[in-house]
Amino acid sequence: MSVAVMSPVAAESRYEPLRVMVVDDSVVIRGLISRWIDAEPDLTVVGSLRTGLDAVNQVERIRPDVAILDIEMPDLDGISALPQLLAKKRNLIVIMASTLTRRNAEISFKAMSLGAADYIPKPESTREISAADVFKHDLLQKIRHLGARARRLKSVASPSIAPAARTTPSASAIRPAPVAPVASRLVTRPFSASMPRALLIGSSTGGPQALMTLMAEIGPVIDRVPVLITQHMPPTFTTILAEHLARASKRPAHEGIDGEAIRPGTIYLAPGGKHMRAAKQGANIVIALDDGPPVNFCKPAVDPLFTSGIDVWQGGVLALVLTGMGSDGMRGGKEVVAAGGNVIAQDEASSVVWGMPGAAANAGICSAILPLNQIGAKITRLFSGDRS
């Protein structure tokens, strides 16, 4: 089968469209994704390839910023092609694409441990994909935000960008991903005197890796209080994530079950496709799941979890906003602070995407804005009574 490859541009600047390589053995899906990307003024398809082997052979010539890499392909599958692509282009952003099977979810998690930036679940059939507005929205946003971050990091490493490019006519038409102010310019509020009685966490893009790092560090906190997490993820993927969190923390972790009692010592993860809340049921505190509409374009969403914590624990909520696109968690965080609780956000430098934590930080609701490697220690101190 012939391979369609667009010729690379001669010059590169931060205002040029992000260069995307689409790798999928389905000609229908390749064509559909390519049309979506090329319709965006800040994105362009530079390669439409059928196999992982094609991608490995072409990547140095077409120089993509982002690759959409299918998992199941002939000749060389996605998980086998991934390390070879990253070896040939170290700063390549790779987004794994797969259908919602347990095997593919496991492979996607393995891919992220091998250097993939993120994953995106594909609808099961081409008939379904043609109407999948959510898939289209998520795909374009992931390309845009992850690609923009890679270019910012590249420009820091290689600041000599041609100044003439800044005056090109097309620059005003491009819609680059917004860059939030760096944390050092932001104002934090003092921690409240309320002793936290629950840890509520929201995360999205980059969240699985951040959560596994964090859960491995806060075992003593998990033993004392319940930990409830909303990670933007589809069904099956959340099942696998819960298993990974259990291994990382060496504590029980599972998807929340409607009506089950919430107890210290356990990690509860919102199941894909359902919002998860904490609720009172007589003398007990229980998990409440609902199948309502998306909130902030997300289901599960972070805001419902955060706001529900106020009804149960009042000011005894510590809300943590980790890496992710969008602003989910910011409104719920405002309500947590108004009720006497506290909010911590991950800083920009350690976030894969500083959307959610950046929104919380810019809203002025955070008592700390920290790199990931400092969050665990800070949470441990807070639950030990240290308010400094």
Side-chain angles (χ1 to χ4, degrees), residues 73-152:
M73 294 178 290
D75 298 337
L76 190 68
D77 61 23
I79 195 68
S80 301
L82 174 63
Q84 297 184 48
L85 290 171
L86 294 176
K88 289 194 170 188
K89 193 173 190 302
R90 186 174 56 85
N91 61 345
L92 179 65
I93 296 294
V94 179
I95 301 172
M96 305 302 294
S98 69
T99 51
L100 289 175
T101 65
R102 182 180 177 90
R103 175 180 175 275
N104 284 344
E106 286 279 18
I107 292 172
S108 296
F109 276 99
K110 181 180 179 182
M112 287 188 285
S113 73
L114 294 175
D118 204 0
Y119 67 92
I120 188 162
K122 295 192 301 184
E124 294 287 346
S125 67
T126 54
R127 178 179 299 176
E128 183 184 356
I129 200 173
S130 64
D133 291 337
V134 172
F135 173 68
K136 176 182 178 182
H137 173 271
D138 289 351
L139 176 67
L140 295 176
Q141 289 302 303
K142 285 177 188 285
I143 294 170
R144 187 171 283 125
H145 284 266
L146 292 169
R149 179 178 186 269
R151 282 204 170 172
R152 288 198 297 274

Side-chain angles (χ1 to χ4, degrees), residues 103-363:
R103 175 180 175 275
N104 284 344
E106 286 279 18
I107 292 172
S108 296
F109 276 99
K110 181 180 179 182
M112 287 188 285
S113 73
L114 294 175
D118 204 0
Y119 67 92
I120 188 162
K122 295 192 301 184
E124 294 287 346
S125 67
T126 54
R127 178 179 299 176
E128 183 184 356
I129 200 173
S130 64
D133 291 337
V134 172
F135 173 68
K136 176 182 178 182
H137 173 271
D138 289 351
L139 176 67
L140 295 176
Q141 289 302 303
K142 285 177 188 285
I143 294 170
R144 187 171 283 125
H145 284 266
L146 292 169
R149 179 178 186 269
R151 282 204 170 172
R152 288 198 297 274
L153 294 175
K154 183 178 178 182
S155 68
V156 170
S158 305
S160 56
I161 298 173
R166 300 179 184 180
T167 59
T168 56
S170 61
S172 62
I174 306 299
R175 300 194 306 274
V179 181
V182 296
S184 61
R185 299 175 187 169
L186 299 167
V187 177
T188 56
R189 56 189 299 119
F191 281 97
S192 74
S194 299
M195 185 68 179
R197 292 183 287 147
L199 175 60
L200 310 185
I201 304 174
S203 53
S204 184
T205 308
Q209 302 96 311
L211 287 167
M212 283 184 275
T213 297
L214 183 63
M215 292 303 109
E217 297 175 349
I218 62 167
V221 172
I222 301 169
D223 292 337
R224 295 173 57 183
V225 301
V227 177
L228 283 72
I229 301 171
T230 291
Q231 161 71 39
H232 296 163
M233 258 187 172
T236 305
F237 278 71
T238 48
T239 305
I240 304 299
L241 177 59
E243 295 170 3
H244 281 263
L245 295 179
R247 288 196 289 270
S249 66
K250 297 181 173 60
R251 270 77 176 175
H254 61 264
E255 292 175 300
I257 301 168
D258 192 49
E260 74 169 309
I262 295 174
R263 304 187 189 282
T266 301
I267 300 166
Y268 302 89
L269 180 67
K274 297 285 183 67
H275 297 304
M276 184 176 76
R277 295 176 170 86
K280 290 181 179 179
Q281 189 178 81
N284 296 322
I285 301 172
V286 301
I287 295 289
L289 302 180
D290 77 69
D291 198 22
V295 177
N296 302 317
F297 303 101
C298 303
K299 188 179 176 183
V302 179
D303 279 341
L305 174 63
F306 282 5
T307 55
S308 73
I310 300 165
D311 296 332
V312 173
W313 294 288
Q314 290 80 46
V317 171
L318 177 61
L320 172 61
V321 185
L322 296 176
T323 174
M325 295 188 298
S327 62
D328 193 19
M330 183 268 288
R331 291 182 180 85
K334 282 185 176 179
E335 296 189 34
V336 167
V337 169
N342 295 294
V343 176
I344 294 176
Q346 186 175 350
D347 76 348
E348 183 175 13
S350 67
S351 295
V352 174
V353 177
W354 207 55
M356 287 167 50
N362 282 303

